[in-house]
Amino acid sequence: MLCKTSKLVLVVVINVSFYNLLAHYSNAYPLSTQDRWIIDDSTGQRLKLVCANWAGHLQPMLPEGLDKQPLRYLVAQVVRNKFNCIRLTYAVYMWTRYGNQIVEDTLRYLDIPEVVKGVEKTNPSLLKMTHIQVFDLVVKELGAYNVKVLLDNHVSEPKWCCNKNDDNGFFNDRNFKPVEWLQGLDLAAKHFSGNSAVVAMSLRNELRGPRQNEGDWYNYMAQGAAAIHKTNAEVLVVVSGLNYDTEFQFLKKKPMKIDLGKKLVYETHLYSWSGVGTLKLKDIWSSQPLNRICANSIEGLENQAGFLTTGKDAAPLILSEFGFDQLGSTVSDNKFLTCLQTYLVEKDLDWCLWAFHGGYYLREDKVHPDESFGVLDASWKRLRYPNFTDKFQLLQRKNQDPSSKSSNEYILYHPLSGQCVQVNRKNEVEVGSCRTKDRWMHDADGAHILLVSNNKCLTATREGIPTMVSDDCNNSSWKSVSLSNLHLATTDQNGHQFCLHKDSNSSTIVTSKCICIQDDSTCLDDPQNQWFKLVPTNV
């Protein structure tokens, strides 16, 4: 048994070292803002936060999974899956009421002996620590491998979040008293002051419920931001909106006036059921046509939060929660994610995926419930979604940097697969790894799409035939069509319009009759194989 354990530790150490070398993570601390970007002060270059949410705000007041795998192994999984950041959630009461409470005492009080047994096996020293000491240790381990921490005030009372009437939703709810909330922010900021792993702190997760109002939002958000900044001026201060952190449009009329230097960042959330935009159906993604659903959802996201990244008061915006059922069986989630990816890569937003963890100690009175949105499966060893690496490869890459002196070129991106268009030896185009150096130029809608390396044109010959790059630029003018602007179309010599189309059974890209590009509710076909995006990059 000792031999097997030693081998496991060795493998973990090797994996962590290997993935650190591959990822080239910055040691940035502190961070600041420059217009809409987060900047590494030590280099002056942009640092893109690519985060996973790791829950620690539920009743056990522990980051999840410490009864399943050793802490170092869990951090290795963060790095191996190419996250450079963890959004670590906590409950206010952990700081204000239970700061000195011993972990083992809490777990035994909650009557979850199987969790105690698991922690005894994988992280035995944690049982005699206080909850804050465990958080401290987790942050230290993340920091040792250059994983940044966004410390997230998720709730006040330790519990699962979020219900409109759970007494944790808005200021002056039963379990959300402003004085104690401010005290908790101050204690957390003070505790991690000078800790280079903690680069950002959020004010509050998903404000909600019947008490919501803009007046209290302006008042208490300003107080909370000032409290953090006064205690720890090095961290970014992350401000959330109303209605489950989906709405900021009131700031168009009355901007937030608070001086945090270059430390102010906003956050927003979006899930398939959020219903932003002009469509407020409970499950908009089961509706048709999909091009309209995607276009209206992206328009809603931009109008309600995305606008914060533009104009004279531009600031960084982190999509600090989005996610999908990683079992892959939820059609609505899959459509939502593919659409959202196009927005994330085009704007190159910082983001935090819900969730890293594969399950929970205790959630709503259930012991060891699964987390179907978790990157890790229930064993905490493997990816739950086998295509995760491909699907997220371009999202995890920094594509834009304000300090870059390179001119903008384009990556031709296929969001359904998560892959990028590259040219093979036959001069045919196909999807593959986004590590490809193939870049494209496209001066205007309706112009040629040119391969930067040799100025060959993206050319379609006829329907169903592999698309090529060629010196012959006839039939090579391309424009975005459909409401979603995700179809790239060309017109042949006979005036017939065709769209780029990834073959369902291979990596080949052909041209095919455009699917549902008219705003026609009777069109029930799925156009996602034809969704392509020219993503700007100067990196």
mmCIF file of all heavy atoms in Angstrom, residues 457-493:
data_model
loop_
_atom_site.group_PDB
_atom_site.id
_atom_site.type_symbol
_atom_site.label_atom_id
_atom_site.label_comp_id
_atom_site.label_asym_id
_atom_site.label_seq_id
_atom_site.Cartn_x
_atom_site.Cartn_y
_atom_site.Cartn_z
ATOM 1 N N CYS A 457 -6.579 32.295 -51.541
ATOM 2 C CA CYS A 457 -7.965 32.605 -51.197
ATOM 3 C C CYS A 457 -8.725 31.354 -50.747
ATOM 4 O O CYS A 457 -8.520 30.260 -51.305
ATOM 5 C CB CYS A 457 -8.693 33.178 -52.416
ATOM 6 S SG CYS A 457 -8.135 34.813 -52.909
ATOM 7 N N LEU A 458 -9.589 31.526 -49.751
ATOM 8 C CA LEU A 458 -10.537 30.478 -49.392
ATOM 9 C C LEU A 458 -11.547 30.384 -50.533
ATOM 10 O O LEU A 458 -12.227 31.362 -50.856
ATOM 11 C CB LEU A 458 -11.238 30.820 -48.078
ATOM 12 C CG LEU A 458 -12.176 29.766 -47.495
ATOM 13 C CD1 LEU A 458 -11.396 28.531 -47.051
ATOM 14 C CD2 LEU A 458 -12.960 30.335 -46.318
ATOM 15 N N THR A 459 -11.636 29.203 -51.154
ATOM 16 C CA THR A 459 -12.369 29.074 -52.411
ATOM 17 C C THR A 459 -13.289 27.867 -52.373
ATOM 18 O O THR A 459 -12.889 26.777 -51.950
ATOM 19 C CB THR A 459 -11.396 28.921 -53.594
ATOM 20 O OG1 THR A 459 -10.483 30.024 -53.592
ATOM 21 C CG2 THR A 459 -12.142 28.891 -54.919
ATOM 22 N N ALA A 460 -14.509 28.082 -52.826
ATOM 23 C CA ALA A 460 -15.462 26.992 -52.962
ATOM 24 C C ALA A 460 -15.643 26.677 -54.437
ATOM 25 O O ALA A 460 -15.807 27.588 -55.257
ATOM 26 C CB ALA A 460 -16.796 27.378 -52.346
ATOM 27 N N THR A 461 -15.595 25.408 -54.796
ATOM 28 C CA THR A 461 -15.790 25.018 -56.189
ATOM 29 C C THR A 461 -17.262 24.706 -56.459
ATOM 30 O O THR A 461 -17.914 25.368 -57.251
ATOM 31 C CB THR A 461 -14.913 23.819 -56.540
ATOM 32 O OG1 THR A 461 -15.131 22.768 -55.581
ATOM 33 C CG2 THR A 461 -13.444 24.212 -56.519
ATOM 34 N N ARG A 462 -17.773 23.697 -55.755
ATOM 35 C CA ARG A 462 -19.198 23.392 -55.898
ATOM 36 C C ARG A 462 -19.675 22.677 -54.637
ATOM 37 O O ARG A 462 -18.881 22.243 -53.809
ATOM 38 C CB ARG A 462 -19.468 22.564 -57.138
ATOM 39 C CG ARG A 462 -18.840 21.194 -57.170
ATOM 40 C CD ARG A 462 -19.164 20.496 -58.495
ATOM 41 N NE ARG A 462 -18.718 19.115 -58.491
ATOM 42 C CZ ARG A 462 -17.502 18.716 -58.852
ATOM 43 N NH1 ARG A 462 -16.600 19.619 -59.216
ATOM 44 N NH2 ARG A 462 -17.188 17.424 -58.832
ATOM 45 N N GLU A 463 -20.980 22.528 -54.538
ATOM 46 C CA GLU A 463 -21.590 21.967 -53.332
ATOM 47 C C GLU A 463 -21.077 20.555 -53.051
ATOM 48 O O GLU A 463 -20.955 19.722 -53.938
ATOM 49 C CB GLU A 463 -23.110 21.933 -53.484
ATOM 50 C CG GLU A 463 -23.826 21.440 -52.228
ATOM 51 C CD GLU A 463 -25.340 21.451 -52.375
ATOM 52 O OE1 GLU A 463 -25.836 21.733 -53.484
ATOM 53 O OE2 GLU A 463 -26.019 21.177 -51.368
ATOM 54 N N GLY A 464 -20.749 20.333 -51.749
ATOM 55 C CA GLY A 464 -20.351 19.006 -51.298
ATOM 56 C C GLY A 464 -18.899 18.664 -51.518
ATOM 57 O O GLY A 464 -18.442 17.600 -51.103
ATOM 58 N N ILE A 465 -18.153 19.562 -52.166
ATOM 59 C CA ILE A 465 -16.741 19.327 -52.448
ATOM 60 C C ILE A 465 -15.907 20.028 -51.384
ATOM 61 O O ILE A 465 -16.243 21.137 -50.948
ATOM 62 C CB ILE A 465 -16.371 19.849 -53.852
ATOM 63 C CG1 ILE A 465 -17.198 19.126 -54.910
ATOM 64 C CG2 ILE A 465 -14.882 19.670 -54.133
ATOM 65 C CD1 ILE A 465 -17.005 17.626 -54.950
ATOM 66 N N PRO A 466 -14.790 19.417 -50.925
ATOM 67 C CA PRO A 466 -13.961 20.077 -49.912
ATOM 68 C C PRO A 466 -13.562 21.489 -50.323
ATOM 69 O O PRO A 466 -13.197 21.740 -51.469
ATOM 70 C CB PRO A 466 -12.737 19.159 -49.820
ATOM 71 C CG PRO A 466 -13.268 17.807 -50.183
ATOM 72 C CD PRO A 466 -14.295 18.057 -51.246
ATOM 73 N N THR A 467 -13.651 22.395 -49.369
ATOM 74 C CA THR A 467 -13.253 23.783 -49.590
ATOM 75 C C THR A 467 -11.732 23.863 -49.612
ATOM 76 O O THR A 467 -11.052 23.171 -48.863
ATOM 77 C CB THR A 467 -13.832 24.686 -48.478
ATOM 78 O OG1 THR A 467 -15.239 24.422 -48.383
ATOM 79 C CG2 THR A 467 -13.621 26.140 -48.780
ATOM 80 N N MET A 468 -11.205 24.730 -50.475
ATOM 81 C CA MET A 468 -9.758 24.794 -50.724
ATOM 82 C C MET A 468 -9.221 26.197 -50.432
ATOM 83 O O MET A 468 -9.977 27.154 -50.264
ATOM 84 C CB MET A 468 -9.465 24.474 -52.198
ATOM 85 C CG MET A 468 -10.137 23.243 -52.749
ATOM 86 S SD MET A 468 -9.240 21.739 -52.375
ATOM 87 C CE MET A 468 -7.772 21.966 -53.377
ATOM 88 N N VAL A 469 -7.895 26.306 -50.412
ATOM 89 C CA VAL A 469 -7.251 27.603 -50.612
ATOM 90 C C VAL A 469 -6.559 27.545 -51.965
ATOM 91 O O VAL A 469 -5.969 26.514 -52.338
ATOM 92 C CB VAL A 469 -6.253 27.961 -49.488
ATOM 93 C CG1 VAL A 469 -6.972 28.186 -48.179
ATOM 94 C CG2 VAL A 469 -5.174 26.903 -49.337
ATOM 95 N N SER A 470 -6.659 28.644 -52.700
ATOM 96 C CA SER A 470 -6.210 28.612 -54.082
ATOM 97 C C SER A 470 -5.703 29.977 -54.521
ATOM 98 O O SER A 470 -6.107 31.011 -53.968
ATOM 99 C CB SER A 470 -7.374 28.181 -54.985
ATOM 100 O OG SER A 470 -7.070 28.340 -56.349
ATOM 101 N N ASP A 471 -4.830 29.977 -55.553
ATOM 102 C CA ASP A 471 -4.410 31.231 -56.165
ATOM 103 C C ASP A 471 -5.518 31.818 -57.035
ATOM 104 O O ASP A 471 -5.511 33.015 -57.346
ATOM 105 C CB ASP A 471 -3.164 31.005 -57.034
ATOM 106 C CG ASP A 471 -1.946 30.661 -56.195
ATOM 107 O OD1 ASP A 471 -1.783 31.272 -55.121
ATOM 108 O OD2 ASP A 471 -1.172 29.773 -56.602
ATOM 109 N N ASP A 472 -6.473 30.975 -57.420
ATOM 110 C CA ASP A 472 -7.611 31.423 -58.217
ATOM 111 C C ASP A 472 -8.681 31.948 -57.263
ATOM 112 O O ASP A 472 -9.307 31.179 -56.536
ATOM 113 C CB ASP A 472 -8.151 30.259 -59.050
ATOM 114 C CG ASP A 472 -9.339 30.666 -59.909
ATOM 115 O OD1 ASP A 472 -9.718 31.853 -59.878
ATOM 116 O OD2 ASP A 472 -9.884 29.777 -60.606
ATOM 117 N N CYS A 473 -8.882 33.247 -57.272
ATOM 118 C CA CYS A 473 -9.789 33.846 -56.302
ATOM 119 C C CYS A 473 -11.201 34.053 -56.832
ATOM 120 O O CYS A 473 -11.993 34.800 -56.250
ATOM 121 C CB CYS A 473 -9.216 35.183 -55.810
ATOM 122 S SG CYS A 473 -7.743 34.950 -54.775
ATOM 123 N N ASN A 474 -11.539 33.407 -57.947
ATOM 124 C CA ASN A 474 -12.937 33.404 -58.377
ATOM 125 C C ASN A 474 -13.757 32.584 -57.389
ATOM 126 O O ASN A 474 -13.287 31.608 -56.816
ATOM 127 C CB ASN A 474 -13.057 32.800 -59.776
ATOM 128 C CG ASN A 474 -12.392 33.662 -60.824
ATOM 129 O OD1 ASN A 474 -12.470 34.897 -60.767
ATOM 130 N ND2 ASN A 474 -11.707 33.020 -61.782
ATOM 131 N N ASN A 475 -14.990 32.972 -57.218
ATOM 132 C CA ASN A 475 -15.891 32.293 -56.263
ATOM 133 C C ASN A 475 -15.289 32.252 -54.860
ATOM 134 O O ASN A 475 -15.354 31.245 -54.172
ATOM 135 C CB ASN A 475 -16.198 30.863 -56.716
ATOM 136 C CG ASN A 475 -16.831 30.808 -58.086
ATOM 137 O OD1 ASN A 475 -17.655 31.660 -58.420
ATOM 138 N ND2 ASN A 475 -16.440 29.827 -58.891
ATOM 139 N N SER A 476 -14.683 33.364 -54.453
ATOM 140 C CA SER A 476 -14.010 33.347 -53.148
ATOM 141 C C SER A 476 -14.348 34.572 -52.298
ATOM 142 O O SER A 476 -13.573 34.955 -51.446
ATOM 143 C CB SER A 476 -12.495 33.266 -53.351
ATOM 144 O OG SER A 476 -12.028 34.420 -54.023
ATOM 145 N N SER A 477 -15.495 35.174 -52.567
ATOM 146 C CA SER A 477 -15.942 36.290 -51.732
ATOM 147 C C SER A 477 -16.911 35.741 -50.687
ATOM 148 O O SER A 477 -17.823 34.977 -51.020
ATOM 149 C CB SER A 477 -16.620 37.361 -52.590
ATOM 150 O OG SER A 477 -15.696 37.918 -53.504
ATOM 151 N N TRP A 478 -16.715 36.147 -49.450
ATOM 152 C CA TRP A 478 -17.469 35.563 -48.338
ATOM 153 C C TRP A 478 -18.108 36.658 -47.492
ATOM 154 O O TRP A 478 -17.514 37.709 -47.262
ATOM 155 C CB TRP A 478 -16.542 34.725 -47.446
ATOM 156 C CG TRP A 478 -15.907 33.590 -48.175
ATOM 157 C CD1 TRP A 478 -14.748 33.623 -48.909
ATOM 158 C CD2 TRP A 478 -16.397 32.256 -48.260
ATOM 159 N NE1 TRP A 478 -14.478 32.394 -49.442
ATOM 160 C CE2 TRP A 478 -15.474 31.524 -49.060
ATOM 161 C CE3 TRP A 478 -17.505 31.596 -47.740
ATOM 162 C CZ2 TRP A 478 -15.642 30.178 -49.352
ATOM 163 C CZ3 TRP A 478 -17.670 30.243 -48.021
ATOM 164 C CH2 TRP A 478 -16.750 29.549 -48.812
ATOM 165 N N LYS A 479 -19.308 36.382 -47.022
ATOM 166 C CA LYS A 479 -19.976 37.319 -46.117
ATOM 167 C C LYS A 479 -20.741 36.546 -45.054
ATOM 168 O O LYS A 479 -21.112 35.375 -45.241
ATOM 169 C CB LYS A 479 -20.924 38.243 -46.882
ATOM 170 C CG LYS A 479 -22.087 37.544 -47.573
ATOM 171 C CD LYS A 479 -22.970 38.566 -48.280
ATOM 172 C CE LYS A 479 -24.145 37.885 -48.985
ATOM 173 N NZ LYS A 479 -25.022 38.889 -49.647
ATOM 174 N N SER A 480 -20.973 37.220 -43.927
ATOM 175 C CA SER A 480 -21.769 36.629 -42.854
ATOM 176 C C SER A 480 -23.243 36.741 -43.203
ATOM 177 O O SER A 480 -23.711 37.801 -43.641
ATOM 178 C CB SER A 480 -21.510 37.347 -41.528
ATOM 179 O OG SER A 480 -20.177 37.172 -41.112
ATOM 180 N N VAL A 481 -23.957 35.653 -43.028
ATOM 181 C CA VAL A 481 -25.397 35.659 -43.283
ATOM 182 C C VAL A 481 -26.108 35.057 -42.075
ATOM 183 O O VAL A 481 -25.497 34.426 -41.229
ATOM 184 C CB VAL A 481 -25.763 34.875 -44.569
ATOM 185 C CG1 VAL A 481 -25.195 35.575 -45.803
ATOM 186 C CG2 VAL A 481 -25.255 33.439 -44.502
ATOM 187 N N SER A 482 -27.391 35.282 -41.969
ATOM 188 C CA SER A 482 -28.285 34.852 -40.889
ATOM 189 C C SER A 482 -28.228 35.830 -39.726
ATOM 190 O O SER A 482 -27.276 36.600 -39.579
ATOM 191 C CB SER A 482 -27.985 33.430 -40.384
ATOM 192 O OG SER A 482 -26.914 33.411 -39.466
ATOM 193 N N LEU A 483 -29.238 35.784 -38.892
ATOM 194 C CA LEU A 483 -29.303 36.664 -37.725
ATOM 195 C C LEU A 483 -28.120 36.452 -36.789
ATOM 196 O O LEU A 483 -27.639 37.390 -36.152
ATOM 197 C CB LEU A 483 -30.611 36.433 -36.960
ATOM 198 C CG LEU A 483 -31.880 37.031 -37.549
ATOM 199 C CD1 LEU A 483 -33.090 36.611 -36.725
ATOM 200 C CD2 LEU A 483 -31.793 38.548 -37.611
ATOM 201 N N SER A 484 -27.651 35.230 -36.685
ATOM 202 C CA SER A 484 -26.551 34.938 -35.759
ATOM 203 C C SER A 484 -25.205 35.432 -36.281
ATOM 204 O O SER A 484 -24.241 35.516 -35.520
ATOM 205 C CB SER A 484 -26.462 33.425 -35.504
ATOM 206 O OG SER A 484 -26.073 32.739 -36.685
ATOM 207 N N ASN A 485 -25.129 35.749 -37.581
ATOM 208 C CA ASN A 485 -23.858 36.129 -38.223
ATOM 209 C C ASN A 485 -22.795 35.048 -38.065
ATOM 210 O O ASN A 485 -21.604 35.337 -38.024
ATOM 211 C CB ASN A 485 -23.328 37.458 -37.666
ATOM 212 C CG ASN A 485 -24.133 38.637 -38.158
ATOM 213 O OD1 ASN A 485 -24.498 38.683 -39.331
ATOM 214 N ND2 ASN A 485 -24.421 39.568 -37.277
ATOM 215 N N LEU A 486 -23.244 33.803 -37.990
ATOM 216 C CA LEU A 486 -22.309 32.700 -37.797
ATOM 217 C C LEU A 486 -22.182 31.812 -39.030
ATOM 218 O O LEU A 486 -21.487 30.798 -38.982
ATOM 219 C CB LEU A 486 -22.735 31.855 -36.590
ATOM 220 C CG LEU A 486 -22.673 32.565 -35.238
ATOM 221 C CD1 LEU A 486 -23.207 31.659 -34.137
ATOM 222 C CD2 LEU A 486 -21.256 33.008 -34.928
ATOM 223 N N HIS A 487 -22.846 32.190 -40.110
ATOM 224 C CA HIS A 487 -22.709 31.459 -41.368
ATOM 225 C C HIS A 487 -21.833 32.271 -42.309
ATOM 226 O O HIS A 487 -22.092 33.460 -42.550
ATOM 227 C CB HIS A 487 -24.068 31.236 -42.029
ATOM 228 C CG HIS A 487 -25.008 30.385 -41.241
ATOM 229 N ND1 HIS A 487 -25.270 29.072 -41.546
ATOM 230 C CD2 HIS A 487 -25.759 30.663 -40.143
ATOM 231 C CE1 HIS A 487 -26.134 28.578 -40.695
ATOM 232 N NE2 HIS A 487 -26.443 29.522 -39.821
ATOM 233 N N LEU A 488 -20.797 31.653 -42.866
ATOM 234 C CA LEU A 488 -19.968 32.291 -43.883
ATOM 235 C C LEU A 488 -20.392 31.739 -45.235
ATOM 236 O O LEU A 488 -20.264 30.523 -45.496
ATOM 237 C CB LEU A 488 -18.486 32.026 -43.627
ATOM 238 C CG LEU A 488 -17.868 32.840 -42.485
ATOM 239 C CD1 LEU A 488 -16.460 32.356 -42.174
ATOM 240 C CD2 LEU A 488 -17.848 34.329 -42.839
ATOM 241 N N ALA A 489 -20.906 32.629 -46.104
ATOM 242 C CA ALA A 489 -21.507 32.198 -47.361
ATOM 243 C C ALA A 489 -20.793 32.796 -48.562
ATOM 244 O O ALA A 489 -20.256 33.909 -48.502
ATOM 245 C CB ALA A 489 -22.983 32.591 -47.385
ATOM 246 N N THR A 490 -20.814 32.044 -49.644
ATOM 247 C CA THR A 490 -20.305 32.518 -50.929
ATOM 248 C C THR A 490 -21.345 32.188 -51.989
ATOM 249 O O THR A 490 -22.262 31.391 -51.759
ATOM 250 C CB THR A 490 -18.948 31.863 -51.265
ATOM 251 O OG1 THR A 490 -18.368 32.513 -52.390
ATOM 252 C CG2 THR A 490 -19.095 30.374 -51.531
ATOM 253 N N THR A 491 -21.196 32.794 -53.161
ATOM 254 C CA THR A 491 -22.140 32.583 -54.250
ATOM 255 C C THR A 491 -21.392 32.032 -55.460
ATOM 256 O O THR A 491 -20.337 32.555 -55.835
ATOM 257 C CB THR A 491 -22.840 33.903 -54.624
ATOM 258 O OG1 THR A 491 -23.466 34.448 -53.463
ATOM 259 C CG2 THR A 491 -23.883 33.671 -55.707
ATOM 260 N N ASP A 492 -21.927 30.959 -56.053
ATOM 261 C CA ASP A 492 -21.243 30.363 -57.195
ATOM 262 C C ASP A 492 -21.581 31.106 -58.491
ATOM 263 O O ASP A 492 -22.327 32.097 -58.492
ATOM 264 C CB ASP A 492 -21.551 28.865 -57.305
ATOM 265 C CG ASP A 492 -23.005 28.575 -57.692
ATOM 266 O OD1 ASP A 492 -23.739 29.511 -58.068
ATOM 267 O OD2 ASP A 492 -23.398 27.388 -57.627
ATOM 268 N N GLN A 493 -21.063 30.625 -59.613
ATOM 269 C CA GLN A 493 -21.237 31.300 -60.896
ATOM 270 C C GLN A 493 -22.687 31.344 -61.348
ATOM 271 O O GLN A 493 -23.074 32.194 -62.159
ATOM 272 C CB GLN A 493 -20.392 30.580 -61.956
ATOM 273 C CG GLN A 493 -18.892 30.704 -61.715
ATOM 274 C CD GLN A 493 -18.084 29.897 -62.704
ATOM 275 O OE1 GLN A 493 -18.607 29.001 -63.372
ATOM 276 N NE2 GLN A 493 -16.796 30.210 -62.806
#
